[in-house]
Amino acid sequence: MDKLGINLGFFLFQLFNFGILFFVLARFVWPRVLDMLDERAERIAKGLEDARAAQEAREDAQRERDKLLSQARTEGQKYIDEARQRGAEQVQLMLREASRQADEHRAQSRIQAEEDRNRVLADTREQIVSLAMAAAEQLVGEVLDEERQRAIIKRFFTDVPAAAKGLGKRIEVVSALPLTDDEQAAIKTISGTDEITFKVNPDILGGLILRSGDKVVDGSVRGDLTALSVRIH
Amino acid sequence: MKGLLILLGIIASTVIFCGVVPFVVMPGAGISMALPVISVPGEKLWEDFLGVDGLTVTNTLIGTLLADVVLLAFAIGATRTMRDVPGRLQGLFEVVTDALYSLAKSTAGANARKIFPLMATIFLFLLVANWIELVPGVDSVGLMHCAEDGVNGYPKDGVTLKVDEPLDAGTRATEADYEACYAKEHDDGEHAAEGEATAAAAGENSGEEDTAARDDLYVVTSFVRAAATDLNLTLGLAVLAVLAVQYFGIRALGLGYFAKFINIPALDKIDREPMGAMDFAVGFLEIISEISRIISFGFRLFGNIFAGQVLLFVIPFLAGALMPLAVYGFEVFVGVLQAFVFSMLLLVFATMAMTSHSHDDSH
Amino acid sequence: MQINGADFISAMKTLGAGLAMIGVIGPGIGIGLIVQGALTAMGRNPDASGQIITNMILGIAFAEAVAIYALVVALIILFVL
């Protein structure tokens, strides 16, 4: 053994030496190093785990967002469709309503227009009639001189209306001109009564008006004109 | 471009320092190289060191202490102030320990933290110790000592050896030569008398030889030699490793650990499983296996590193131009590999010891 | 050149050590086979290379142990006997 250099003293020295080395390192170096390595490994693992979790969370959020987005899109589409449909209906409705209203308006305005026209026409007619009447009165007034007056009265006497006979006891006679005695007498004979009041009113233009109580026999020009105008109306 | 320059630099320096200098320049200056001494035991540097009787210091011992110092300085320097953002030293230390630790975790699992300190200490210590061999000056700078029996020695010339020509083989020293030289060197009556007596005895034994013992045969004993070239260290570590494996096993399994060696559970149920007798016999093989592990641990490390050392000695004399470069690179690798193999085997054996065997046998 | 007994013995020791080292042939072949198998396995399953390398080193260590016995014998022949 000695030739191989194996020697108890050296052997023990080497054991002792390594023992001290191991003791020093195991006491002062390895715990710290191992703690640090473990801690670092843990931290790295945790970091990886965190990163994975974050990744997952992000993917979840992404998925959620996509879902919401697509949901919102479908919903929006639905709303749009609905709105479009409703709009179309509305439009249809409005169109119908409008056309109905328009028809109504049209009809109404037609009626109105008719009425207006009628009123206008009536007014116009009235005015025309009044104008015509006025013109006629004026014309008649101018035309009816004394002679013609007398002629009209004479014609009244010649062609006495049946109503004039037996009119009543008290008769009021209105004439445009003061009646002559002959004429007064004629009236007396026609009516058969003496209590006759004679009044003069140029407004009647010509002829005679016999009035007894509420009975009237109108033989005046004005009466004719009025009858004319009524007939025109 | 830079790589090419570095390559050329490497080639030039190997050619110059391994070829031109030893074989051209040195002989020109009247200096020659002595052949290196290849010795299995650590060579004695100082006997009775510092006056303490019996305290012998060998160069492998110096190598061990140097490795201790370097490793402690490295480990403590790297971890004295642990920072989250490591500096260079701490970063290097962390890379190494982290790799070892992840290896331990992948092999031993939950037990990694128990085994790791011993494993990592052995790895780093052996790594430093093996690489010390590669530092220039180690294995080559030293003191002159008397050539021992069977070693080729050279006469002394002042502070250098007197080597006449390149590859001068020197003169083979006998035990008588060593004793004479030793007596002259120490000038010590007691030793001298002893030496003469031995010389006389040697002379008597080999009568036909020239009995005149030479007292001027010297060799250089280097100050530092790789620690793992000393069997004391390698066997010491091997014994420690095997004992540690037993310790881990007992701590993990209690007394049940010994069932691996003396398989009483197998004898218990031998009526049901007659093959259990085989298990019992195998248990004794396990004992032999544990012991042989000491041998294989120790001699593997020693053999590899010692062979590397011899290779580094011999190759420059065989092919001085570029081969030393390759051998150097190879020795760097072997240094790591042997440290790794040692710690790895410790890890694996410890893991095997800490896992119960009854589960494996039950299927 | 005369050969005396001591020289003869030392020559024989050297020879014996050399012969003892023949024993490393087997482990050499064995280690080659182990590495071959490990490399094939790693080629097939690169993910498991860590575990394979661990077991490969273990196997190499066992095979190498035999070579180490040869080395021990050689060393004993050279230096101890």
Side-chain angles (χ1 to χ4, degrees), chain A residues 215-232:
Chain A
K215 291 178 192 162
V216 174
V217 176
D218 195 345
S220 67
V221 175
R222 169 157 302 276
D224 290 348
L225 279 176
T226 306
L228 178 69
S229 103
V230 166
R231 211 177 308 147
I232 290 170

Side-chain angles (χ1 to χ4, degrees), chain B residues 21-79:
Chain B
V21 170
F23 296 104
V24 179
V25 177
M26 283 168 66
I31 311 167
S32 291
M33 280 187 304
L35 287 179
V37 179
I38 296 171
S39 154
V40 173
E43 294 139 278
K44 290 168 189 164
L45 270 176
W46 298 287
E47 289 179 69
D48 299 340
F49 186 60
L50 296 175
V52 181
D53 199 34
L55 179 61
T56 306
V57 176
T58 62
N59 50 9
T60 50
L61 221 56
I62 304 272
T64 309
L65 293 174
L66 199 63
D68 286 350
V69 169
V70 172
L71 174 57
L72 283 177
F74 174 49
I76 292 175
T79 55

